[in-house]
Amino acid sequence: MTWISRLATAATAAVAMAVAVPAGAATLVETPMYEQDVAAGKLPPVAQRVPEVPSVVDLAAEQKEPGKPGGEISWMAGRARDIRIMNTYSYARLVGYGPDFKLRPDILQSVDVDGEKVFTLHLRPGHKWSDGQPFTSDDFRYFWEDVSLDKELMPYGPDSRLLVDGELPKVEYPDAQTVRYSWSKPNPEFLPAIAGASPLYIFAPAHYLKQFHKKYTDAAALDALVKEAGARNWVALYKQREKLIDSANPDLPVLEPWVNTTKAPAERFIFVRNPYYHRIDSQGRQLPYLDRVVVNVVEGSLIPAKTGTGEADLQARGLRFDNISFLKAGEQKGGYKVRLWPTALGSEVALYPNLNCNDPDWRALNRDVRFRRALSLGIDRDEINQTVFFGQARPSQNTVLPESPYYDETAATEWAAFDPQKANALLDEIGLTKRDGDGIRLMPNGKRLEIVVESAGERTLETDILQLVRESWAKIGIALHTAQSQRDVFLQRIFAGDTVMSVWTGWDNGLITPTTVPSQLAPVDQNWLQYPKWGQYVQTKGGAGEKPDVEFGRKLMDLYDEWRGTTDAARRDAIVREMIKIQSDEVTSIGTVQGVLQPVVVKARLHNVPEKGIFSWDPGAHFGIYRPDTFWVDPS
């Protein structure tokens, strides 16, 4: 039985749970915040706001206590754009992961899966957008036919995750509550993609967005909207208004538990509960419990200090391992507790030699596996662990965690031991034998072997670790320099090939399981910083970037395509293991340590936040899999 088949079974179970509303919840309970509006006729009663078959959260099964509706919490972001993380924390998805990292229907009532080729999505009858308009199959039709296939809005065509060997899906709409996607070959990436922390959206609020689309709006009226917004053209205007992931447009209807009510620019964004949200608790109360979530934008470097004085009710973003002692010391005065959740990163900090860099000399070096192996062998990970993490982390390459069934100790330690002698031998073998008076090796072009590692400058951990790497690399004749730039500039330089090497976190998901699509193991995304142009080539279907032209890159793509094309569980298992081994052997990225503890600060008045958890981006959505819509505050 493949994992998709198992999902179909899980879907059936989830639907049964949704239908089987506990006897005590037969009558829905009106939300206190809306009682006056309902009485005044300004808002329908809760029974008319939630779907006919709402999603019921079994609090007892999740070891949570029934909450008290009302109140608000706040957290801090380092920049206004980071309010988009609310979408991640809220984590309402067509299908989503639970704390066990298994997929289940969420916004959808159920999913029927036939051979991983046909996916029939069943919507919840009566489900509405946050503005009260119906959420139906027409929202899927609109997004597919009028957005994804519109050459002006999507010049490269639909998202690559919707293509199977270049084949577009056949999309059908049997009725208002049913949508069917089908391919001639399996597409095992489809459901994980729409369940992601940053999901693949396959729907949009058509009733709102049509006013910005030239197909549905009078040309003169649309032109007036373009001029009013100061946009370049209708496409630019549309893209300003459409982004469900960003939470930036307060007028955009959503399906999330909270709706942004604040227009940028602002330093305080207020998210208010969605009156038409699809989940209820097992006592008949509509979720979320919290009326409001406030996101305060502050200087990123001040987040730890402000958190330590009690200015956040729930905070993990902007906090680091090295803040733990300070935060623990302020628990009593700040009225909070510090919980320590291990991260799921393949490496807390990783270096990425850019195999697509524009400089021909650096491109040649970065593409020589002996060079990458030497750089890795030249790092003293034990020193990093003891100096930066007080021995609480685990020296390792950038790879899966021991908790993963795919963990391979050889892959985790290969080329990861500090061995300056072997590193020097590899560099000599390449031909980098000449040195200057400082002992720094000379490149074939006569220049000093000085690597500039570029950073977004958002984590002091990177600075601390790079200082130790600088000292250890000096022992093998390599000089390390750093350069910082704002994140958008940092990424654009990498994507353009202007960066020789960068530093970032390791794999987002070190907890690979048989249900995980191995996309992070193949060059399919420009955000994989060691080969961004290969990723661009895949994402744009050859319209930009570079086709993988190194043997291991082609091999990874072949394996990835084979994984997507087979439904044989044993073969998929073997493919993932081989891809992990290639990543390790080729040292495509250079890891340092993993298993680092993430401080999660929780105010004493905030309930239902797990004592123990895993701080994972995808799958996990950080707090998302723990259902923040069930978090509540004690007024006392």
Side-chain angles (χ1 to χ4, degrees), residues 395-609:
S396 174
Q397 270 294 11
N398 183 23
T399 187
V400 293
L401 305 176
E403 293 83 357
S404 167
Y406 293 105
Y407 180 71
D408 181 344
E409 186 174 359
T410 300
T413 58
E414 187 176 24
W415 309 112
F418 183 46
D419 193 339
Q421 183 176 354
K422 190 172 183 179
N424 276 313
L426 286 170
L427 294 171
D428 289 344
E429 183 181 323
I430 294 172
L432 302 172
T433 55
K434 295 181 180 180
R435 301 189 186 224
D436 67 5
D438 297 324
I440 300 301
R441 294 174 184 272
L442 301 180
M443 296 173 64
N445 60 14
K447 296 182 180 179
R448 283 162 50 98
L449 188 52
E450 297 177 305
I451 299 177
V452 177
V453 177
E454 298 196 25
S455 164
E458 297 176 357
R459 300 197 301 164
T460 58
L461 280 176
E462 292 177 354
T463 303
D464 297 339
I465 289 174
L466 287 176
Q467 178 58 40
L468 295 174
V469 174
R470 177 184 292 111
E471 294 169 4
S472 61
W473 275 2
K475 298 174 183 177
I476 59 174
I478 296 176
L480 184 154
H481 303 285
T482 59
Q484 294 184 1
S485 56
Q486 194 271 339
R487 185 189 296 189
D488 291 339
V489 176
F490 163 76
L491 290 174
Q492 287 305 317
R493 283 184 51 79
I494 296 171
F495 299 160
D498 296 329
T499 298
V500 170
M501 189 174 296
S502 60
V503 61
W504 195 251
T505 58
W507 296 353
D508 285 336
N509 178 21
L511 293 171
I512 295 177
T513 71
T515 68
T516 305
V517 179
S519 54
Q520 68 181 354
L521 302 177
V524 297
D525 192 313
Q526 71 172 356
N527 288 292
W528 304 168
L529 306 183
Q530 64 272 60
Y531 28 59
K533 292 187 179 181
W534 294 351
Q536 292 167 14
Y537 184 86
V538 174
Q539 290 178 305
T540 62
K541 294 172 278 294
E546 302 172 4
K547 187 175 183 179
D549 57 348
V550 176
E551 178 58 30
F552 83 82
R554 292 191 291 264
K555 179 65 173 176
L556 288 172
M557 284 304 305
D558 289 344
L559 289 168
Y560 176 69
D561 290 340
E562 184 184 355
W563 188 95
R564 293 187 63 179
T566 183
T567 58
D568 183 272
R571 180 56 190 150
R572 278 186 176 162
D573 184 83
I575 288 171
V576 172
R577 294 184 188 280
E578 185 174 356
M579 294 177 78
I580 291 172
K581 188 175 188 303
I582 291 173
Q583 289 283 345
S584 172
D585 290 342
E586 294 291 337
V587 195
T588 66
S589 59
I590 302 170
T592 52
V593 299
Q594 59 180 206
V596 173
L597 298 175
Q598 167 68 42
V600 176
V601 170
V602 183
K603 273 288 184 67
R605 70 190 189 102
L606 182 59
H607 297 255
N608 281 350
V609 182

Side-chain angles (χ1 to χ4, degrees), residues 1 3 11 14 50 80 87 111 148 218 226 279 303 321-322 329 351 589:
M1 179 184 288
W3 76 271
V50 301
N87 181 290
V111 185
S148 292
D218 173 76
V226 169
R279 295 182 196 163
I303 290 178
F321 177 89
D322 57 342
L351 293 164
S589 59

